[in-house]
Amino acid sequence: MTAAQREQQAWESAAEAPKGFRFFLFASPQLALATLGLPIVIYLPAYYAGPLGLGLAATGFIFMITRFWDVFTDGFLGWAVDRFPTRWGRRKIWMLVSTPLMVAGTIAICFPPEGAGNLYLMFWLIFIYIWWTLIHLCHIAWAAELSDRYDERSSIQSRILAVYFSGLLLVLTAPIAVGAIMGETDLETKVRAMGIYAAVLLPITVLVAVFMAREKAAPPRASTEKPLGFIEGLSLASRNPALLRLLGVDMLAGLAGGTASGLFVFVTGELFQLEGALTIGGVAVDPGALLIFTYAGAFFGIPLWLKLSYRIGKHRAVSASAILTILAFLYSLIMPRGDFLAASVFYLVNGIAFGAAPFLDRAMLADVVDLDQTQSGEQRTGFFFALMSMTNKIGYALPIGIIFPLLALIGFDPNGNNDPQAIAWLGAIFVGIPVLLKLLIIALTWNFPITREMQEDLRTQLTSQEAS
């Protein structure tokens, strides 16, 4: 057998998704990666802006500018892990290299020394975002390459996301449990509890995951075929309408989620008036417990959105989730203030809606990778998932960079004691921005071009290309 034949045989013997508990172990790094998802947007900006004294405007600017750093790094990192496979593969090795570095950054950001200022926050945010990106994009790209089938891709990504949401539930529960045990519910306790959780869990889960599934080898190419350079590949991607539309959807979803999560501490305290609204055994329930409703709803909503995508397609299921989000935010306008149960309903419904887009967007992106491969001759899963990671990060960073200074401009005080006008502006921003963004998502996804039938045609083309 020639070297070319062995390469082709390795490509054709694609990796298969592990089953049952082995799949959970494969997906388990998401338990720790969840710490630097929404929780870092919910608690860390408020912690550095308030108790550490950096202020709303400075903290918002730092979080925005560090996320924009990913514009320059994410796409390049994704291209590099696709373009330069190692003898140990394209995915596992970078997860292993990145893990200890991300642990160091997590400890630094969650346990700042006395006097930590703007430069300290900026440096460590950039540091952990780089290594979080490498671990996350290698993991989800690896998962996306486990199947070539339209619906199975949705199933795989839904299970990955279910583990991620489980991680969110754990990391959001940890600060509340620690606060209940210690009698402390301040932001510093919550941030430190999350840091310990991530630093301990990430190395364990990454080590376990790399043994649970095989990587799919890079597609073989003719010896005379020149691989795409970074600029050439980026140029080709910019001419892919389906990719641009999907990246736009993901950024809009990030903007909506970033607005809601970045304002969570202020909305639950000032707008919904939930501080001390509910007591159990004489102990006031922390409003942060509402996030458990959000991610429990997202977790249990995943199978519903998966089944709906089987019936109406991934893109229409994303549109349906956007409609449900709009209804939830409109409900928040009329729900009674100081009512923990009413707020729980809002966060539960919003969570159910939230659970659809993350895994369906990724499954749709795997289909876009097929389209690109028919045009470029390369399987650029890592690069495309890096672009989606970039747009999502920008989406979550922009609200903090824009809204925090805006709140400062209207006189909103992050430490409380706000007048009715400032609170009214807070409510208008919290509801109006997500509703507008979800309407734009519906417009972009309702007639998304890659349907189940088109994806099957693309796989037929790729099979013919690979065989020749």
Side-chain angles (χ1 to χ4, degrees):
M1 181 182 292
T2 66
Q5 288 172 326
R6 285 195 298 271
E7 187 179 13
Q8 179 67 31
Q9 187 180 62
W11 164 250
E12 290 172 350
S13 60
E16 294 182 357
K19 309 297 182 184
F21 186 65
R22 290 185 68 247
F23 186 90
F24 169 78
L25 294 177
F26 165 74
S28 64
Q30 297 294 326
L31 293 172
L33 291 172
T35 306
L36 295 182
L38 285 182
I40 201 173
V41 180
I42 293 169
Y43 290 125
L44 209 60
Y47 175 53
Y48 274 84
L52 289 191
L54 270 62
L56 284 169
T59 303
F61 176 77
I62 290 170
F63 270 82
M64 180 177 68
I65 201 69
T66 52
R67 281 301 199 183
F68 271 110
W69 173 253
D70 291 333
V71 173
F72 304 101
T73 59
D74 277 20
F76 178 78
L77 292 173
W79 168 81
V81 297
D82 285 341
R83 173 68 181 80
F84 301 107
T86 72
R87 60 183 296 183
W88 302 283
R90 298 185 294 170
R91 314 300 182 207
K92 296 180 182 181
I93 182 62
W94 292 113
M95 292 175 65
L96 291 170
V97 168
S98 303
T99 295
L101 295 164
M102 183 179 151
V103 168
T106 301
I107 293 172
I109 203 78
C110 293
F111 292 83
E114 186 176 352
N118 296 339
L119 291 178
Y120 181 91
L121 175 61
M122 181 177 293
F123 173 82
W124 285 111
L125 278 178
I126 292 173
F127 186 86
I128 61 175
Y129 283 154
I130 290 173
W131 306 115
W132 187 95
T133 294
L134 265 175
I135 300 172
H136 182 66
L137 78 87
C138 286
H139 194 226
I140 60 175
W142 182 8
E145 292 165 351
L146 293 177
S147 176
D148 294 333
R149 293 188 287 275
Y150 182 86
D151 286 328
E152 189 175 12
R153 285 173 169 172
S154 299
S155 176
I156 289 171
Q157 293 295 341
S158 72
R159 286 180 285 161
I160 292 284
L161 188 65
V163 175
Y164 179 82
F165 283 148
S166 299
L168 285 174
L169 287 169
L170 287 172
V171 76
L172 292 170
T173 303
I176 296 172
V178 170
I181 294 171
M182 298 176 57
E184 298 285 347
T185 58
D186 56 80
L187 281 172
E188 182 179 32
T189 300
K190 294 174 181 177
V191 168
R192 291 189 172 189
M194 291 191 302
I196 294 172
Y197 168 94
V200 172
L201 197 58
L202 184 64
I204 298 172
T205 55
V206 169
L207 282 173
V208 169
V210 298
F211 293 106
M212 289 299 112
R214 294 165 49 207
E215 279 191 48
K216 191 173 185 178
R221 61 170 63 253
S223 59
T224 57
E225 189 178 355
K226 181 182 178 182
L228 288 172
F230 176 67
I231 299 301
E232 183 184 4
L234 191 62
S235 176
L236 181 61
S238 69
R239 299 193 298 272
N240 186 326
L243 173 64
L244 296 179
R245 183 185 291 199
L246 188 57
L247 293 179
V249 168
D250 196 62
M251 180 177 287
L252 292 170
L255 288 168
T259 298
S261 58
L263 294 175
F264 176 82
V265 172
F266 305 141
V267 165
T268 54
E270 297 288 315
L271 181 63
F272 294 164
Q273 301 172 16
L274 297 175
E275 291 287 350
L278 177 66
T279 60
I280 298 178
V283 178
V285 176
D286 191 315
L290 290 169
L291 293 171
I292 297 174
F293 286 91
T294 298
Y295 297 114
F299 179 86
F300 290 108
I302 286 173
L304 302 178
W305 296 117
L306 181 62
K307 290 182 179 179
L308 185 64
S309 73
Y310 291 164
R311 295 179 62 88
I312 66 176
K314 304 169 191 175
H315 55 299
R316 293 283 170 84
V318 172
S319 294
S321 71
I323 293 171
L324 183 59
T325 301
I326 291 172
L327 295 176
F329 273 90
L330 293 178
Y331 161 77
S332 75
L333 290 173
I334 61 173
M335 74 182 194
R337 300 312 186 223
D339 189 328
F340 211 94
L341 178 60
S344 300
V345 172
F346 164 70
Y347 282 103
L348 179 66
V349 175
N350 191 46
I352 292 172
F354 174 73
F359 82 90
L360 289 174
D361 286 355
R362 292 177 190 170
M364 292 165 68
L365 186 61
D367 301 335
V368 175
V369 171
D370 288 342
L371 175 62
D372 174 75
Q373 191 176 344
T374 63
Q375 299 168 346
S376 68
E378 295 188 8
Q379 187 192 49
R380 302 193 291 165
T381 315
F383 178 54
F384 276 32
F385 272 82
L387 292 178
M388 178 169 280
S389 174
M390 176 187 72
T391 55
N392 191 261
K393 288 178 183 178
I394 293 173
Y396 272 99
L398 274 175
I400 297 176
I402 296 173
I403 293 172
F404 272 35
L406 179 61
L407 290 176
L409 183 65
I410 63 175
F412 185 85
D413 183 354
N415 294 309
N417 303 315
N418 289 287
D419 59 36
Q421 184 178 5
I423 294 176
W425 273 109
L426 174 65
I429 294 169
F430 176 72
V431 175
I433 292 178
V435 167
L436 175 61
L437 294 171
K438 291 296 180 178
L439 288 171
L440 293 174
I441 287 174
I442 295 169
L444 288 173
T445 55
W446 190 258
N447 290 314
F448 191 74
I450 304 182
T451 61
R452 178 180 288 102
E453 293 75 20
M454 181 178 178
Q455 192 272 338
E456 291 171 353
D457 290 342
L458 291 172
R459 290 309 313 173
T460 300
Q461 292 181 46
L462 290 173
T463 301
S464 298
Q465 289 179 10
E466 292 157 10
S468 63

